[in-house]
Amino acid sequence: MEVQSIKELLVSVPNGQVVIVKGWVRTFRSNRFIALNDGSTINNIQCVVDFETLGEDLLKQIATGAALEIQGSLVESQGRGQKVEIQVDDLIVHGKADPETYPIQPKKHSMEFLREQAHLRIRTNTFSAVMRVRSALAFAIHDYFRKNGFYYFHAPIVTGSDAEGAGEMFRVSTLNPKTPPLTQEGEIDYKQDFFGKETNLTVSGQLEAEAYAMALGKVYTFGPAFRAENSNTSRHLAEFWMIEPEMAFYDLQDNMDLAEDFIKSIIAYILQNCKDDLTFLDKRLQDEEKVKPMAQRSEMGLLERLNFVVENSFIRITYTEAIKILQNSKPNKKKKFQYVIDEWGADLQSEHERYLVEKHFKCPVILFDYPAKIKAFYMRLNEDGKTVRAMDILFPGIGEIVGGSQREERLDVLQNKMKELGVEEEELWWYLDLRRFGSAVHSGFGLGFERMVQFSTGMGNIRDVIPFPRTPQNAEF
Ligand code: 4AD
Ligand code: MG
């Protein structure tokens, strides 16, 4: 007989048909009612067992966390709270879970505690809901690009170049760290390393994606990125996933249009396909907000926020306009910002981004035309000679969720810029070739996947939307 998912059974018409389910005990009460979950849905199925017939031996093995196989008949539920239940005829215990030692008991656990139990936290309602939404978002992303004529492209994980020029990379080496070979100058001799040069884990697949866009037209990457920035914040991971579309013949305007349409479409997808999980997460967020002081509570619930993003146009303003707004803002005048904005050219911190989005516009914002000085070398220089065609998308509760730009397609301008910033031409000879042969206007952006999942689930900490987070001083599991 075929095993059915609990998700299917909960919407089946109950007429006493025999069914088999396999899953884990969420709760067990009155020595009779097992709430079983198999991961197919946030909802449990109630299984009613008569242990007098099945045996007291079995009874002793039933506890939260145990893995069971259950056969019985699907009937209309006698009790409240569910439409159907299983009257159990046969029960197999695949694996017990000792209530004395099993960490995930049916009570409220702190997020900090659950991070230490990342291998088991997925058995809670919150984490299973988050990870199902994460999976649905990943699907929606591939689906969107496929429908819009993009090719999925795999950028290398090990690279020799620092795409973002920020120098925050993890080295990849097979040299013996105790006795590395040295050059005559006493430097480590990477010529003798595995790849014959210094290599690191990629911080972004963009540069390679540009090469592919200049032949396939529209491509995207969806892969891991690694950054050794020592940021212990609720929005930074050392290993995160990024979606990077790159499009030939797209200018900055086209790029912004695509990014907005893309984000709206994937949110619409989860609103349509993850209703139970999002409803649960919405309620969870409400409960969390209740214990916060009034001033810190967000004005919208999770579902409301998601619908708002789908239904409203993002605000688009230049960096220069944003600086004016910030300079004239109350927190700036009263020096409430940790970093007070005193002149054009200042890099925006997350407090500024969140002020613009949450207090000033109360809407997602796309900032564009940033000062060249605070952005990466590859962004296209504007006619004013001091700003570049960069765009960041800022989201409530998150700050920057997307970073992108139109790319510098002019060989001489790019070479000058690289010289200025000390980016070595020998390393990026191939990137310059793209400007030598058949160069064209092109653009792209990077969406931080975990920040997107954070926004979509209302989770406060980025460590709680990736299965096994990697952060400074932490690579457990
Ligand atoms: O703004 P970033 O650094 O842009 C790039 O890497 C470009 N190469 C993208 C492109 O144009 N193809 O990163 C893009 C996004 C950020 O907006 C943020 O959402 C996310 O990646 N991100 C991080 N997410 C989690 N942890 C970190 N340490 C992150 N750093 C960036
Ligand atoms: Mg950025």
Side-chain angles (χ1 to χ4, degrees), residues 198-235:
E198 202 171 342
T199 50
N200 41 266
L201 295 177
T202 186
V203 295
S204 157
Q206 177 198 321
L207 303 191
E208 290 87 356
E210 282 185 53
Y212 266 60
M214 297 315 281
L216 294 179
K218 296 192 281 187
V219 299
Y220 71 103
T221 70
F222 188 165
F226 306 86
R227 297 197 185 172
E229 43 190 343
N230 204 351
S231 318
N232 254 310
T233 78
S234 58
R235 301 170 314 114

Side-chain angles (χ1 to χ4, degrees), residues 9 12-13 23 35 59 77 113 115 118 133 161 196 222 274 280 311 327 335 344 355-356 408-409 443:
L9 289 180
S12 303
V13 180
L59 172 64
S77 177
F113 170 78
R115 264 170 233 150
V133 172
S161 47
F222 188 165
C274 304
F280 171 84
E311 287 159 13
Q327 277 178 324
K335 301 208 181 333
W344 189 93
Y355 174 83
L356 289 170
E408 185 55 77
E409 84 284 11
S443 301

Side-chain angles (χ1 to χ4, degrees), residues 233-264:
T233 78
S234 58
R235 301 170 314 114
H236 286 91
L237 291 164
E239 176 181 291
F240 64 100
W241 288 69
M242 187 160 44
I243 297 96
E244 296 184 276
E246 191 70 33
M247 300 74 65
F249 308 111
Y250 269 50
D251 64 12
L252 187 66
Q253 196 69 37
D254 303 326
N255 201 24
M256 292 195 273
D257 291 345
L258 176 77
E260 182 170 344
D261 185 58
F262 164 59
I263 290 179
K264 286 180 168 166

Side-chain angles (χ1 to χ4, degrees), residues 66-85:
L68 307 184
E69 179 171 344
I70 278 175
Q71 181 170 332
S73 39
L74 192 72
V75 298
E76 213 172 293
S77 177
Q78 313 294 302
R80 277 189 295 164
Q82 66 272 322
K83 282 209 209 86
V84 300
E85 63 188 24

Side-chain angles (χ1 to χ4, degrees), residues 375 392 400 402-403:
K375 289 292 183 186
D392 278 6
E400 180 192 335
V402 162

